[in-house]
Amino acid sequence: MCGRYAITLPPETYRDFFGYPEQPNFPPRYNVAPTQPVPIVLEDRGERHFMLVRWGFLPSWVKDPKDFPLVINARGETLETKPTFKAALKRRRCIFLADGFYEWRREGKEKTPFLIRPRSRKPMPMAGLWETYMSPDGAEIDTAAIVTTDANGTLSAVHDRMPVILSEDDIAAWLDVRDERADVMRLVRPCPDDWLDLVPVSSRVNKVENDDPGLMEPLARPEPAPVKEKKPKVKKPLSSDEDEQGSLF
């Protein structure tokens, strides 16, 4: 899955890479977490655009968001069948701006963080879905989730899932939603092993409050940290992906 990631390249690097006309100015973020505002790129009538959304997908048909799971990841295998994702797959595909993500290897009561980045050190186009939710009082919120797939060989030593990372050649096909019959599921697959580097990093990344360049510094050896025992909560919703994530609101 993907529960934390980084956006550290200069804004103009992303703008040149994806080709949107907006000129946003945003600071580097080394520990992006669920429910935070995050940048995506989408396409509208053949033109690409930059947009900020809430990380945590909320379908338009939900009546009470408090009773709906926090969907930060959308399993690729379910995109065509789950009501949550079917419409967005056809009409509202997007790409998350990112240049690295974190994953944890769990061993017994410990978990060890790793940073995964493109060897090219270019932007890492993570496939996503977005949706605009309107509450009963008329308030709107734009939300999105990262599409996941089976881990490739590089990631399999740490976790069994990973984000769908698109090639530069496949970006256009994923963003183009003008033809609802287009076969985009062919793009929902693990990226080649040699695209990515995987290095152990500090367990400081476990805390959302930590957001600095030191989080991405490779360590000479892995740094496991104890897994905190979670107290059971009544009627706590689950993510549509692998882990319990909490509530969006």
Side-chain angles (χ1 to χ4, degrees):
M1 61 177 296
C2 181
R4 300 281 181 85
Y5 66 96
I7 312 168
T8 66
L9 294 174
E12 56 269 22
T13 298
Y14 285 108
R15 183 171 183 262
D16 292 343
F17 186 85
F18 289 111
Y20 47 75
E22 295 83 6
Q23 300 184 44
N25 186 21
F26 47 87
R29 297 167 63 185
Y30 302 92
N31 198 5
V32 181
T35 75
Q36 293 179 351
V38 296
I40 64 169
V41 58
L42 53 84
E43 190 168 295
D44 181 26
R45 292 186 288 272
E47 293 187 0
R48 295 181 186 178
H49 293 285
F50 174 98
M51 186 168 75
L52 284 177
V53 299
R54 179 76 61 88
W55 184 15
F57 189 90
L58 196 59
S60 59
W61 44 262
V62 170
K63 293 182 179 180
D64 188 349
K66 294 181 180 179
D67 294 332
F68 194 76
L70 173 59
V71 182
I72 62 171
N73 295 155
R75 292 181 69 97
E77 301 88 332
T78 68
L79 300 185
E80 293 182 297
T81 57
K82 275 202 169 185
T84 301
F85 307 127
K86 287 176 68 174
L89 176 65
K90 293 180 179 180
R91 308 182 189 97
R92 287 175 291 279
R93 297 187 297 272
C94 66
I95 292 175
F96 280 66
L97 274 61
D99 48 83
F101 70 97
Y102 301 98
E103 193 51 84
W104 283 258
R105 182 176 64 203
R106 292 179 179 265
E107 296 175 303
K109 294 186 177 182
E110 294 184 328
K111 61 179 182 179
T112 304
F114 290 82
L115 168 66
I116 300 93
R117 288 189 292 182
R119 290 182 178 177
S120 67
R121 296 301 187 262
K122 292 182 178 181
M124 185 179 65
M126 296 195 299
L129 303 176
W130 71 277
E131 183 70 85
T132 299
Y133 173 78
M134 179 177 291
S135 65
D137 64 3
E140 290 187 351
I141 179 173
D142 296 317
T143 68
I146 296 169
V147 178
T148 65
T149 186
D150 292 331
N152 64 12
T154 302
L155 265 293
S156 62
V158 174
H159 203 279
D160 61 356
R161 304 288 296 177
M162 69 178 294
V164 171
I165 302 172
L166 302 167
S167 71
E168 293 187 45
D169 291 338
D170 288 335
I171 289 173
W174 181 258
L175 290 179
D176 188 352
V177 294
R178 289 173 291 186
D179 182 1
E180 295 185 5
R181 298 169 298 175
D183 178 20
V184 294
M185 289 303 297
R186 63 183 178 82
L187 307 178
V188 180
R189 62 194 179 200
C191 71
D193 294 352
D194 60 2
W195 283 15
L196 304 173
D197 284 333
L198 184 150
V199 295
V201 292
S202 171
S203 59
R204 291 177 56 244
V205 75
N206 295 353
K207 294 185 178 181
V208 177
E209 297 80 10
N210 296 326
D211 186 6
D212 59 79
L215 298 180
M216 302 182 76
E217 290 294 327
L219 299 182
R221 60 189 60 167
E223 184 177 280
V227 176
K228 292 183 179 180
E229 295 293 334
K230 293 184 178 180
K231 296 180 180 179
K233 293 186 178 182
V234 178
K235 294 183 179 180
K236 184 171 182 181
L238 303 180
S239 164
S240 72
D241 213 317
E242 298 80 10
D243 295 327
E244 188 174 8
Q245 298 294 343
S247 176
L248 180 61
F249 294 95

